[in-house]
Amino acid sequence: MNVNYTENTPGSSTNDTDTSSLFEIEILIPVTIICIVLFVLGVTGNLITILIFKRYKDMRSTVNMYLSSMAISDILIFLGLPSDLYRIWKYKPYIFGDFICKFLIYLSEMCTYSTILHITTVSVERYLAVCYPLKAKILITKKRVKIIIGILWIIALVTSGPVLFLYGVEHPLGTLPAETMECRHLESSTQSGLLLIVTWVSTTYFIVPTFFLTLLYGLIFRKLWRNPHGIQDTISRNRGKHHKQTVKMLALVVLSFVLCWLPFHIGRLLFAWTGLGEFIHYHLTQYFNLVSMVLFYLSASINPMLYNVMSQKYRAAMSKILNPRQDSQLRNTIRSEQASLEGTETTSFK
C-alpha cells in the first residue's frame, strides 16, 4: 500500500530534506505493534483458510473457492508491510530500490482490485442461489468457478497496470539522492494525467461495486427474511438457514472491506483533486494516511476472524488443523451438514 505521506503536503517533497520520521515515537511504537499483530493474525488466519479448503474435500464448496482465492490475495498484501513500516519510521531515503517500490504498490493495488471482484462475484452467486436455486444448480459448478476466478485475477492484473508507471523512486531537484530518495508518485506521470486516470479507475472499482452490492444484498435479505410462502419441509428449512448464515457472513465481509478501504480511497481523491491538498493541514493529512494504512492491513486480516465467529463448520475445521484430536468432531459436523443439504454445492461455511 502506498500511504503517500509526503505527497499530500504542499512543498514537503521538494523542500524538505529531513530524513527523520513524520511521527512522534509515541505514535510509531503502538502503530508498529498493531501492524505486526495484524501481520501475524492475517497471514496465519488466511493460511488456515487455504489449508481448510485444500485438506477437507467436503469444504470445497464454490463459495469457499472464492474465499480461499481472497485469502491468497490478503496474504500477498502483507508483503508490502515491511516497506510501509520502514517509511513511517524513516520516509527517506528509500533504500529498497525502484523495482521494489513499483512492485509493492502494484501488488497492493492489484490485490485490492482482486478482492473487490471476488466479493462482487461471490455475492452474485449467492443471489442466484437464493433467488433462483434451480438455475444456480445448473450454472454454478466448480469448473466454471475456477475459470471465473482465473479471469478475475487477470482483470485485476491488467487494470492495476498503470500504477507501475505512476510510482517510482526519485528525489527532488537540487537535493542529494542518497539523502532524499523517495518511493512516491512521479512528477512526470502526474503532469501527464496518469494520476487522474488511476484515481478514476480506483473510484470505479470502489463506488460501482459498493452500490451494486448494497442493492444485491437488499434483494437477498428481502428474499430470505420476507418469504411470503414460508418454508414447509425440513430440507428446505435447513437450506434457508444455511443461506441466511452464509449471506450474513458475506455481508460482514463486504461491510468490513468497504469501511477499511474507504479512508485510503478518500485520501487518494483528496490528493488527485488539484489544489485541494493546500487546504488540508499538514499533520492532519499525515495522521489520516497513517490510519488509512492500519485499516488497509486490518482489511487483509479480518476475514478469517469473521469466518471463525460466524461459521461453526469453519471453527471445527480450524480446530482440527490446530488440534488433530478434533478430527472425529469435524467429520460428524460435515456428515450432519451433508445430510441436511443433500449434496447442495452452493453452500458455504456454516
Side-chain angles (χ1 to χ4, degrees):
M1 174 189 181
N2 184 39
V3 287
N4 299 329
Y5 293 114
T6 60
E7 67 181 23
N8 284 347
T9 306
S12 66
S13 62
T14 56
N15 298 326
D16 186 9
T17 58
D18 183 15
T19 59
S20 62
S21 173
L22 296 171
F23 307 100
E24 298 83 1
I25 191 70
E26 294 81 4
I27 299 295
L28 289 172
I29 293 178
V31 168
T32 302
I33 293 175
I34 291 173
C35 288
I36 292 175
V37 171
L38 291 178
F39 176 86
V40 174
L41 292 177
V43 173
T44 303
N46 285 298
L47 281 176
I48 289 176
T49 299
I50 297 171
L51 286 175
I52 288 174
F53 171 75
K54 293 293 185 182
R55 181 171 295 184
Y56 304 115
K57 183 178 180 180
D58 296 298
M59 294 289 287
R60 298 176 188 175
S61 68
T62 54
V63 172
N64 294 347
M65 291 170 68
Y66 286 108
L67 299 183
S68 297
S69 183
M70 287 170 54
I72 296 175
S73 175
D74 289 338
I75 292 175
L76 292 176
I77 284 176
F78 280 106
L79 292 178
L81 182 59
S83 175
D84 279 336
L85 288 179
Y86 174 84
R87 292 176 65 214
I88 67 173
W89 280 87
K90 190 174 184 180
Y91 71 92
K92 57 183 178 181
Y94 186 78
I95 62 174
F96 299 105
D98 187 68
F99 173 79
I100 295 297
C101 169
K102 289 178 179 291
F103 174 74
L104 291 179
I105 295 174
Y106 170 77
L107 185 66
S108 67
E109 195 84 3
M110 183 267 294
C111 289
T112 301
Y113 291 172
S114 176
T115 298
I116 295 174
L117 293 172
H118 278 73
I119 288 175
T120 304
T121 306
V122 74
S123 299
V124 172
E125 176 182 308
R126 285 297 88 200
Y127 172 76
L128 293 175
V130 171
C131 299
Y132 304 98
L134 296 180
K135 290 183 179 180
K137 284 187 176 181
I138 299 174
L139 295 175
I140 302 173
T141 64
K142 292 180 179 179
K143 182 178 180 180
R144 287 177 178 173
V145 169
K146 289 179 181 179
I147 295 174
I148 291 174
I149 289 175
I151 293 174
L152 296 181
W153 277 102
I154 292 174
I155 293 174
L157 284 166
V158 173
T159 53
S160 55
V163 172
L164 291 171
F165 305 96
L166 178 61
Y167 293 93
V169 175
E170 68 176 10
H171 65 94
L173 295 177
T175 63
L176 296 176
E179 298 178 358
T180 60
M181 296 295 288
E182 298 180 50
C183 176
R184 46 162 291 164
H185 72 283
L186 301 174
E187 292 294 339
S188 58
S189 60
T190 304
Q191 295 172 2
S192 67
L194 185 58
L195 174 62
L196 189 60
I197 294 175
V198 171
T199 301
W200 278 112
V201 171
S202 177
T203 301
T204 302
Y205 261 105
F206 183 75
I207 294 181
V208 174
T210 299
F211 174 79
F212 181 70
L213 289 169
T214 301
L215 177 63
L216 203 60
Y217 278 99
L219 295 174
I220 293 174
F221 275 98
R222 187 177 66 174
K223 176 69 174 180
L224 288 176
W225 278 269
R226 295 184 182 180
N227 187 350
H229 303 293
I231 300 176
Q232 301 297 327
D233 57 275
T234 302
I235 294 177
S236 297
R237 190 180 301 112
N238 286 333
R239 286 176 179 171
K241 181 180 178 181
H242 283 277
H243 280 318
K244 288 182 179 181
Q245 191 73 14
T246 302
V247 168
K248 286 180 181 179
M249 183 180 68
L250 291 177
L252 283 177
V253 171
V254 172
L255 180 62
S256 65
F257 180 84
V258 171
L259 293 179
C260 289
W261 198 51
L262 181 61
F264 170 63
H265 185 71
I266 292 175
R268 172 173 286 178
L269 287 175
L270 290 178
F271 177 70
W273 291 343
T274 305
L276 186 59
E278 297 176 1
F279 299 95
I280 303 175
H281 193 272
Y282 172 83
H283 293 291
L284 178 62
T285 303
Q286 306 311 323
Y287 284 108
F288 183 84
N289 286 327
L290 191 64
V291 172
S292 299
M293 184 194 77
V294 175
L295 289 177
F296 182 81
Y297 288 110
L298 174 62
S299 70
S301 62
I302 197 172
N303 285 348
M305 304 179 202
L306 296 178
Y307 306 154
N308 191 60
V309 171
M310 299 291 294
S311 170
Q312 178 184 354
K313 193 174 181 181
Y314 181 89
R315 289 195 298 271
M318 184 177 67
S319 297
K320 167 61 178 67
I321 289 178
L322 299 178
N323 184 4
R325 295 180 181 178
Q326 300 295 325
D327 186 37
S328 59
Q329 178 183 350
L330 174 62
R331 291 179 180 178
N332 291 334
T333 301
I334 292 176
R335 289 194 194 100
S336 176
E337 299 229 352
Q338 283 182 313
S340 63
L341 296 174
E342 290 194 343
T344 301
E345 285 285 340
T346 55
T347 57
S348 179
F349 293 136
K350 162 65 174 64

